[in-house]
Amino acid sequence: NFMLTQPHSVSESPGKTVTISCTRSSGSIASNYVQWYQQRPGSAPTTVIYEDNQRPSGVPDRFSGSIDSSSNSASLTISGLKTEDEADYYCQSYDSSNWVFGGGTKLTVL
Amino acid sequence: EVQLVESGGGLVQPGRSLRLSCTASGFTFGDYAMSWVRQAPGKGLEWVGFIRSKAYGGTTEYAASVKGRFTISRDDSKSIAYLQMNSLKTEDTAVYYCTRPFDYWGQGTLVTVSS
């Protein structure tokens, strides 16, 4: 099985742009889609990116996803940060029979 | 509107069993795989397992931590997915979420395993 490694925490000011990385330990990041989930305190997770770079309806276009084969990582970028974006963010991918979650990144907007 | 509603959580003693249900609405349930994800208090998300749609054989996959103890099943006529949990351990204490991969999540149900 592979692992997905995320930074424990990131912080940025309102209006700025932040990028959260997710590095796959083995196997190609491009071989299986990556999803990103947002979890606000006390709430269930919601999907903000699926299939590497697709946004569900209702998710603002300030959220974008990408993958980089050279670093074997995926990234979630949030532009025009708002205080409401403060949350935990988890990346997730899979292989033929397993799902894997990253450890989560706490985003502080201050 | 897609909705996933979990039920069946509660307090259970170690070694006992519990069955969770996930009632779905707003989509053709039988066309989709369904999965369970859990979150221990103060911890991150952990995949539990999933069940494929009947079109893909209705087969299941499980995380190593629950394999042999947990079983996922589905009743497409009722739009319900189940998570049967046997031989529960204190480390199974968590909020259990039902998800439609990779877009919708339920609100979760808390399972506490304690004597």
Side-chain angles (χ1 to χ4, degrees):
Chain A
N1 284 359
F2 62 95
M3 295 172 52
L4 296 173
T5 301
Q6 301 179 232
H8 181 70
S9 62
V10 296
S11 62
E12 190 49 271
S13 303
K16 299 291 189 180
T17 297
V18 70
T19 297
I20 299 171
S21 62
C22 171
T23 302
R24 181 165 171 157
S25 62
S26 61
S28 171
I29 192 70
S31 61
N32 306 98
Y33 287 128
V34 175
Q35 282 63 236
W36 289 91
Y37 306 107
Q38 176 192 68
Q39 186 177 33
R40 295 188 174 110
S43 296
T46 62
T47 303
V48 292
I49 295 289
Y50 67 98
E51 292 181 0
D52 295 341
N53 55 18
Q54 302 298 302
R55 272 179 294 105
S57 60
V59 174
D61 60 6
R62 301 185 296 105
F63 290 80
S64 63
S66 63
I67 62 168
D68 180 357
S69 295
S70 65
S71 59
N72 214 34
S73 64
S75 294
L76 172 69
T77 298
I78 310 171
S79 60
L81 275 169
K82 301 183 176 184
T83 54
E84 68 203 47
D85 299 330
E86 188 160 291
D88 293 326
Y89 291 86
Y90 296 90
C91 61
Q92 176 263 319
S93 191
Y94 54 92
D95 59 21
S96 59
S97 58
N98 286 287
W99 286 20
V100 176
F101 283 95
T105 298
K106 180 175 181 60
L107 170 62
T108 302
V109 181
L110 37 64
Chain B
E1 178 194 8
V2 171
Q3 284 195 317
L4 301 172
V5 179
E6 302 91 340
S7 59
L11 174 63
V12 61
Q13 293 179 327
R16 304 298 291 266
S17 299
L18 200 63
R19 188 178 80 161
L20 306 183
S21 299
C22 169
T23 302
S25 60
F27 65 101
T28 305
F29 181 78
D31 289 349
Y32 290 84
M34 296 298 295
S35 68
W36 290 90
V37 174
R38 68 184 181 182
Q39 186 170 37
K43 302 296 185 182
L45 301 175
E46 180 188 14
W47 173 67
V48 173
F50 67 78
I51 183 166
R52 297 177 178 87
S53 66
K54 291 289 198 297
Y56 289 88
T59 52
T60 52
E61 304 289 349
Y62 300 96
S65 58
V66 306
K67 199 168 188 177
R69 300 188 299 122
F70 289 12
T71 302
I72 299 173
S73 60
R74 62 189 301 153
D75 185 336
D76 291 349
S77 68
K78 296 181 180 178
S79 297
I80 299 177
Y82 299 100
L83 177 62
Q84 177 68 44
M85 304 184 292
N86 298 332
S87 303
L88 282 161
K89 305 175 181 180
T90 55
E91 53 263 41
D92 295 320
T93 293
V95 175
Y96 285 74
Y97 296 102
C98 167
T99 86
R100 190 183 86 168
F102 298 107
D103 47 14
Y104 290 98
W105 294 67
Q107 285 305 300
T109 187
L110 176 62
V111 172
T112 302
V113 184
S114 174
S115 54

